[in-house]
Every structure is written in C-alpha cells, then in structure tokens.
Amino acid sequence: MRSRTLSSGARQLEVHPELVILRQPCRSDDDNDDEEQSLHPSESDPDPHPHRRSPLPFRQRLRHFTWAWYTVTMSTGGLSVLLFNQPHQFPGLRQIGMAVYVSNIAFFLAITSLLVARFVLYPATLKESLTHRRESFFLPTALLSVATLITSTERYVVSRDDPAVVGAVQWSFWAYVGVAVVLAVTQYAFVFSRHRFRLESAMPTWILPIFPVMLAGTIASVVADTQPDVAAVPIIVAGLTCQGLGLSVAGMTYALLVGRLFSAGLPDREHRPGLFMCVGPPAFTALALVGMGNGLPDGFDADSDGEVDARTLRTLAVVCAVFLWALSFWWFGVAAVAVAMRPPRYFHLGWWAAVFPNSGFTLATIALGRAMGCGPILGVATGMSVGVVLAYGFVLGHTVRAVWVQDIMYPGRDEDFDDA
C-alpha cells in the first residue's frame, strides 16, 4: 500500500498503514535548543509573523500573565534609584526620578492586580505557576520588586525627622529579610526534590531564588543612613550576612552555568539576554559593601578596644567592591557579545534582564567613583546610566508592542509554556 505524505512548512508527516513518523530537518549545533526551549517559533517556522495569530479575548490571554511580569517593576524601581544617585545632577532630574518612582508603584499595583485576577479566574494556575519548571523561577521577581520599592521609597520619601516613617522602614527591612530567606530555602529545596535538570540546560534564571536574599544587603546599605545608630548596626550585620549567603549561592550557580557554557555552548539566541542576570550578584554585592561601610556610625568600634574601626572597614569594603566589580564587568562583556552575535528575534520578558542587573552594575560604579573620589569613574558611570535609560526605553517599547500584537500573553509564548 502506498504511503501518503502531508507537508507543513519544514516538517513532513509520512503516514503509513503501520506507523506514523514525524521527521524534522537537521539543525546546526548553534540552533539546537536545550531543555529550556525557546518560547517562540524556530527559524523554520513557516508563519512567524505575530500579526497573523488568531485574536483572543483578554480574559483568555490573562491565563498566561506570569510572574515574570514583575521584571518590569524591578527594572523600573532600579531605574528610579539610579536616577536619584546620579553623580552629575541637572535641574529636573530629581523630578524625573520621582515620576519614575510613582510610575513603578502604579506598575506594581497593576501587575499584582492582574496576577490576582488570573488566579481567581483560573484557580489551578496558582499551583501550576509555583511548581512549573520555568515560570516558578520568576516568583522571586515579585520580592525583588518589593526590594526596589523599599530602597526607592527610602530615597524619595523617608526623612530622618519623621520617627514613624523611619521605624516603618526598619520593620519593612526585617520583614523582607524573613520572607526572602524562607523563599530561598523552600524554593531551592522544592526544585532539588521535584525537577531533574541536566547540566547542559543550566540557565541564569537559576540564580533568581537567591537574588532577594542578596538584595537585603543593598537595602541595608540604603536604609542604614536614616536609622539611629542602635538600629543601624544590626541592620548592617544582617545585610552583610544575607549578602554573603546570596553571593555564595550565586557563585555555586555560576559554576553550573560556566560548565554548561563550556560543554554545550551559549544558550539559544532567544535566551541570551538572560545572561545579563549574571552581572547582578557581584555588582549588587559591591554596591552593598560600599553602602554598608558608609552606613556604619563614625565611632563604630567592633572589638571595643578604644580604636575606631569604621574607617578601616570602609577601606576594606572598597577593596572588595573593586574585586567584585571586575567580575560583573566580565559577565557584562560575555552577555553583550553573546547577544550581539545572535540577537533574539522575538520579544519575551527575559529581555528585562538587560536593565535591572545593569542598573546595579552602574550603581556600583557610581559608589566606587564616590568612595575613591575619582571624577573619570563618575564620568564613565554617567555614560553607563545613559545606556541603562536607553535600554529601559527600548525594552519597555517592545513590551507594549508585544502585548498589542499578541507576542506575549498568548498560548505557548510565555513562561508558563510546557515543553516537557
């Protein structure tokens, strides 16, 4: 009996009486997807144009509104802090930063409301989102957004002269630390017990569960400035402890990721912007060390021997920060070259990785420039800030466009896509 062949773009389906064979064309090693497949059509997709998709009602699209949307607010919050800390201020810059800060609050409330609506309309998706092998890794971005709200509120709103507000910030810090530590322990424990990932599938998103713990140090470096001495020292100690935990776990994840890069090469082009996540841990640690050193009381005496240790500790913090800044620079270079070699073709929320970690990298550069009193470093930091602002505008514009043309919030095109 003759077989029948059905063609569909680059795929051929040969239908025999006895069996069905699905055959795909061979692809080069550079195009091979790992276990974290692209959420978007492959190069052989015969119909990759977003505007040709069947329109869906907003209610159905809301089912695919994922935790990854908090990457928008963590990036916006990071930008507001960056604008506040600019070494070269000009009239109106502080007002622009305040506008970004207020916009971030609005974004956070809107995203939280839409996520709640998703889980109310589709209750089963709550458990699915918390256990999904891809989407669950973006759960910590909600806490990272809270971290940026705390730090930006401290910069734009809090005053030393208001004890009630200062106390509220203090308790917000301790509550954040508690939630961040619980999330880091429970999420990694769940991943270790539930999922089985291969080394060649290692992705930068594996760092995200420890990121909120790490940012506790950054928060401590900011809030300690407005806290009384009796409260500032415990906050700095807790921040340093969390920063050490976060950087240590991130370092172990780096080992897995570098092993993957050596053995399997760079990620698929759609995931390469995620490499910028690796810029964040050493950059935010450098920023936190310098900030916490500056936050120490001037008369701080660690061993009660009558000698003031604050100046020595501040110098040590700068030395360690320079060391870590170099590691961030290396990761930034690797990520930038990887993206330049094969830019992503389709938008996804992972593009926001090019904004938030680089905001921390730029803030660390500003902190080091100020600590060393080096004008050229501050000039470089200003140029980096312009780059972050341009990247933010670029990604935000593509986010709006992607929603409009159904490139995201559409079945099979978001972090809840199941490729198992």
Side-chain angles (χ1 to χ4, degrees):
M1 182 179 295
R2 295 179 60 189
S3 64
R4 294 180 293 115
T5 301
L6 304 177
S7 297
S8 176
R11 298 190 178 190
Q12 290 184 340
L13 183 63
E14 297 182 4
V15 184
H16 296 264
E18 294 82 15
L19 84 161
V20 174
I21 303 175
L22 181 65
R23 189 167 62 198
Q24 297 185 3
C26 295
R27 302 171 64 192
S28 66
D29 290 340
D30 196 37
D31 284 334
N32 284 339
D33 243 339
D34 52 28
E35 197 164 86
E36 295 285 321
Q37 297 179 27
S38 172
L39 306 183
H40 298 276
S42 67
E43 291 181 345
S44 60
D45 193 320
D47 186 20
H49 303 291
H51 64 272
R52 294 183 183 176
R53 293 191 200 94
S54 301
L56 286 180
F58 182 78
R59 179 188 175 105
Q60 294 184 30
R61 295 182 64 190
L62 193 60
R63 185 185 184 98
H64 306 284
F65 191 87
T66 67
W67 291 103
W69 271 92
Y70 279 112
T71 56
V72 178
T73 50
M74 56 189 268
S75 298
T76 306
L79 179 62
S80 68
V81 176
L82 179 60
L83 293 176
F84 183 93
N85 285 277
Q86 281 306 294
H88 301 102
Q89 296 282 330
F90 58 84
L93 180 58
R94 190 58 54 83
Q95 288 71 27
I96 295 173
M98 175 62 78
V100 175
Y101 165 69
V102 174
S103 298
N104 187 43
I105 296 175
F107 288 160
F108 183 84
L109 294 176
I111 290 171
T112 302
S113 298
L114 289 172
L115 266 177
V116 171
R118 172 199 177 187
F119 299 140
V120 169
L121 293 174
Y122 306 98
T125 61
L126 176 57
K127 180 180 178 181
E128 293 170 1
S129 71
L130 298 177
T131 59
H132 194 272
R133 60 189 293 110
R134 180 186 295 108
E135 184 185 357
S136 62
F137 277 106
F138 288 92
L139 172 62
T141 60
L143 202 53
L144 289 171
S145 297
V146 173
T148 62
L149 285 173
I150 294 175
T151 53
S152 56
T153 299
E154 172 73 19
R155 290 306 191 198
Y156 287 99
V157 178
V158 176
S159 170
R160 292 177 181 267
D161 300 328
D162 192 339
V165 176
V166 171
V169 170
Q170 178 183 339
W171 287 109
S172 297
F173 169 80
W174 290 113
Y176 174 88
V177 169
V179 174
V181 171
V182 170
L183 176 64
V185 172
T186 56
Q187 185 164 15
Y188 276 121
F190 176 81
V191 170
F192 296 157
S193 64
R194 172 72 174 266
H195 299 304
R196 295 293 181 271
F197 293 107
R198 301 192 305 268
L199 177 62
E200 59 268 23
S201 70
M203 297 295 287
T205 51
W206 293 4
I207 300 176
L208 282 176
I210 202 63
F211 230 122
V213 171
M214 189 161 39
L215 252 67
T218 305
I219 298 174
S221 68
V222 174
V223 303
D225 283 342
T226 57
Q227 296 294 319
D229 292 351
V230 68
V233 173
I235 287 176
I236 290 174
V237 172
L240 183 61
T241 303
C242 291
Q243 200 73 40
L245 172 61
L247 185 63
S248 299
V249 175
M252 291 186 283
T253 309
Y254 279 166
L256 297 175
L257 183 57
V258 171
R260 173 253 162 84
L261 294 176
F262 273 116
S263 63
L266 291 167
D268 179 83
R269 65 191 302 173
E270 301 302 333
H271 292 91
R272 292 189 184 186
L275 289 171
F276 283 111
M277 291 184 195
C278 299
V279 176
F284 281 107
T285 302
L287 173 63
L289 288 177
V290 175
M292 286 187 287
N294 293 334
L296 285 173
D298 291 335
F300 180 70
D301 182 4
D303 48 10
S304 301
D305 60 355
E307 295 185 7
V308 176
D309 299 315
R311 182 174 298 178
T312 301
L313 290 174
R314 287 168 185 162
T315 302
L316 181 61
V318 172
V319 172
C320 295
V322 171
F323 181 91
L324 292 166
W325 185 94
L327 179 58
S328 287
F329 175 79
W330 182 80
W331 273 116
F332 175 84
V334 170
V337 171
V339 172
M341 289 170 58
R342 291 180 64 81
R345 297 157 295 175
Y346 307 100
F347 178 83
H348 50 88
L349 292 169
W351 285 25
W352 285 102
V355 180
F356 181 69
N358 291 330
S359 296
F361 185 33
T362 305
L363 285 167
T365 307
I366 294 172
L368 286 173
R370 285 175 172 160
M372 294 185 285
C374 183
I377 292 179
L378 294 176
V380 170
T382 299
M384 295 169 64
S385 300
V386 173
V388 171
V389 171
L390 292 176
Y392 179 88
F394 178 81
V395 178
L396 180 62
H398 278 76
T399 302
V400 175
R401 178 187 177 277
V403 173
W404 180 258
V405 301
Q406 300 185 138
D407 206 17
I408 56 178
M409 289 183 66
Y410 195 88
R413 305 186 68 82
D414 298 273
E415 291 69 27
D416 62 340
F417 174 63
D418 191 359
D419 55 7

